């Protein structure tokens, strides 16, 4: 009976120790996660891209209205670039 009691006590002590180690690990992980900053949310990234597109559109509109020949210049330059790019072996 004494050996059985010692074996049961050892098994119980091992389980308690294992559970304490698991609790310490979980607590350390939760503390680390609390220290880390959250990344940008999907909605914020979409809004940032929309703002960037609107800003680019406004800049393009202002540039176009400020210089009337800008559109034809950009088109010609782009056509020349594409012709050079496609002519390369």
């Amino acid at each position: 009976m004494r050996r059985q009691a010692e074996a049961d006590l050892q098994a119980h002590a091992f389980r308690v120790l294992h559970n304490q180690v698991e609790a310490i690990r979980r607590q350390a992980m939760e503390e680390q996660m609390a220290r880390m900053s959250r990344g940008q949310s999907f909605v914020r990234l979409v809004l940032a891209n929309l703002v960037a597109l609107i800003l680019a559109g406004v800049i393009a509109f202002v540039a176009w209205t400020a210089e009337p020949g800008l559109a034809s210049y950009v088109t010609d330059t782009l056509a020349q670039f594409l012709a050079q790019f496609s002519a390369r072996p």
Side-chain angles (χ1 to χ4, degrees):
M1 289 178 119
R2 180 176 229 158
R3 285 186 199 147
Q4 181 63 32
E6 286 178 0
D8 289 344
L9 181 62
Q10 247 185 347
H12 176 71
F14 181 77
R15 281 193 307 271
V16 169
L17 179 64
H18 181 274
N19 291 340
Q20 286 177 344
V21 167
E22 182 64 28
I24 291 169
R25 284 182 182 163
R26 188 178 309 119
Q27 183 183 11
M29 184 181 69
E30 289 171 357
E31 288 175 2
Q32 180 65 26
M33 293 297 287
R35 280 190 222 129
M36 294 175 60
S37 64
R38 290 192 61 199
Q40 298 293 332
S41 67
F42 179 73
V43 174
R44 288 186 72 169
L45 290 175
V46 169
L47 288 175
N49 281 315
L50 287 175
V51 168
L53 287 173
I54 290 170
L55 185 61
V58 167
I59 290 171
F61 179 74
V62 168
W64 188 341
T65 56
E67 182 64 39
L70 182 65
S72 63
Y73 172 75
V74 169
T75 306
D76 293 341
T77 305
L78 184 61
Q80 289 174 1
F81 172 74
L82 290 175
Q84 288 177 356
F85 184 73
S86 61
R88 290 185 182 175

